Amino acid sequence: MSTKVTPYKDSELSKKEQVAEMFDNVSGNYDFLNRIMTFGIDIKWRKKVVKIVGNKKPETILDIATGTGDFAIMLAKLKPKKIVGIDLSIGMLQVGIQKVKEKNLEDLIEMVLGDSEDLPFEDDSFDAITVGFGVRNFENLDKGLQEIYRVLKPNGIFVVLETSQPEKFPVKQLFNFYSKYIIPTIGKLGSKDKRAYTYLPESAAVFPYGKKFNNILEKNGFNNATNKPLTFGSASIYTAMK
């Protein structure tokens, strides 16, 4: 399970605390490095999620592990009444708050410092909940999913965008090489936290993707869990209902 992989192997901090520290460290150039490492494809993936969420015409949306607010800002075009972005990392949130301000979206998007495994919201609060590249960083995956289920309204939609593992030759071999050698190299050149961009592909490699994650979603109460592989299986979109 993903809980065995932590950003800093010698640290005595919990995974949650380590993840917050790591993202604080890389927040300044996270967006830039993200675009380089995915060749900008992550923007297309995010747009697919926005379209899925838009089909439900949600009035209230929660974006968990919102980071620098990319998803929250993209979801604004759906014109809901309220979007909340929540993240553990104050460094990432500060970048996100500035982006929201620059786009004059402060009345629509609220950025909140908080824990996905202890969400500061009432039961049945949101019509839609999204997580982009965040569930594999949960310290306790089941607890995080149970909290998401709790704050999602009945018939609400939960959509996850997460990295997965290509299974077909030669994409599998190319992807593994890229993850193991290229991503850490780019991260070391562009980030002051050399460990971060080794942890990110490592955590992706052990994440239970595809039908395994569907089963975990349904075990935690969600219905109609589906997964859609993207770009030769290097990422997946998961949808589930309450």
Side-chain angles (χ1 to χ4, degrees):
M1 285 295 291
S2 54
T3 49
K4 292 181 182 176
V5 176
T6 56
Y8 310 109
K9 289 184 167 64
D10 298 329
S11 174
E12 293 183 5
L13 296 174
S14 68
K15 176 174 178 176
K16 194 178 298 181
E17 292 167 321
Q18 289 186 47
V19 166
E21 180 184 332
M22 179 192 75
F23 280 113
D24 283 347
N25 289 341
V26 302
S27 59
N29 52 8
Y30 178 80
D31 286 344
F32 173 69
L33 288 174
N34 223 18
R35 297 295 100 81
I36 290 176
M37 289 179 187
T38 66
F39 307 103
I41 297 170
D42 67 299
I43 300 286
K44 291 181 181 177
W45 296 341
R46 292 171 195 272
K47 285 180 178 176
K48 289 179 186 290
V49 172
V50 172
K51 188 175 180 182
I52 291 167
V53 173
N55 289 335
K56 295 293 180 182
K57 297 181 171 54
E59 292 190 349
T60 51
I61 304 173
L62 173 63
D63 183 41
I64 292 175
T66 196
T68 63
D70 273 356
F71 248 150
I73 290 165
M74 290 178 79
L75 288 160
K77 77 172 199 173
L78 301 179
K79 295 185 168 52
K81 289 182 179 175
K82 186 70 181 174
I83 298 172
V84 178
I86 189 167
D87 202 277
L88 272 175
S89 165
I90 187 68
M92 296 285 273
L93 278 175
Q94 285 170 342
V95 176
I97 288 166
Q98 189 58 37
K99 283 161 68 173
V100 168
K101 191 175 180 181
E102 286 168 4
K103 293 182 182 295
N104 295 315
L105 291 170
E106 296 123 300
D107 292 342
L108 176 62
I109 300 174
E110 181 185 1
M111 301 291 269
V112 175
L113 183 67
D115 182 357
S116 57
E117 294 165 35
D118 186 19
L119 293 169
F121 310 112
E122 301 286 321
D123 295 359
D124 307 330
S125 291
F126 297 94
D127 297 307
I129 299 178
T130 56
V131 187
F133 305 113
V135 286
R136 73 179 191 272
N137 296 322
F138 288 6
E139 182 153 32
N140 184 324
L141 182 58
D142 288 329
K143 190 176 178 185
L145 293 175
Q146 287 159 16
E147 272 292 271
I148 289 165
Y149 185 86
R150 179 183 69 77
V151 303
L152 186 63
K153 288 182 183 178
N155 299 313
I157 189 170
F158 176 42
V159 188
V160 173
L161 172 60
E162 188 54 87
T163 50
S164 51
Q165 301 293 307
E167 295 179 342
K168 292 182 179 177
F169 177 87
V171 179
K172 177 180 179 180
Q173 286 73 17
L174 289 168
F175 183 84
N176 288 343
F177 179 82
Y178 185 75
S179 297
K180 190 171 182 180
Y181 298 107
I182 307 299
I183 288 178
T185 300
I186 295 172
K188 284 174 186 174
L189 292 172
S191 168
K192 64 180 180 180
D193 190 327
K194 292 177 170 50
R195 175 66 191 141
Y197 289 92
T198 303
Y199 161 76
L200 291 169
E202 282 179 359
S203 62
V206 299
F207 184 75
Y209 65 93
K211 289 182 180 175
K212 290 179 184 175
F213 187 59
N214 290 346
N215 292 339
I216 293 169
L217 286 167
E218 294 189 344
K219 181 186 80 171
N220 285 291
F222 292 95
N223 302 309
N224 305 323
T226 64
N227 65 290
K228 179 181 174 60
L230 306 167
T231 315
F232 306 109
S234 56
S236 295
I237 293 174
Y238 303 88
T239 61
M241 305 293 292
K242 178 170 176 178

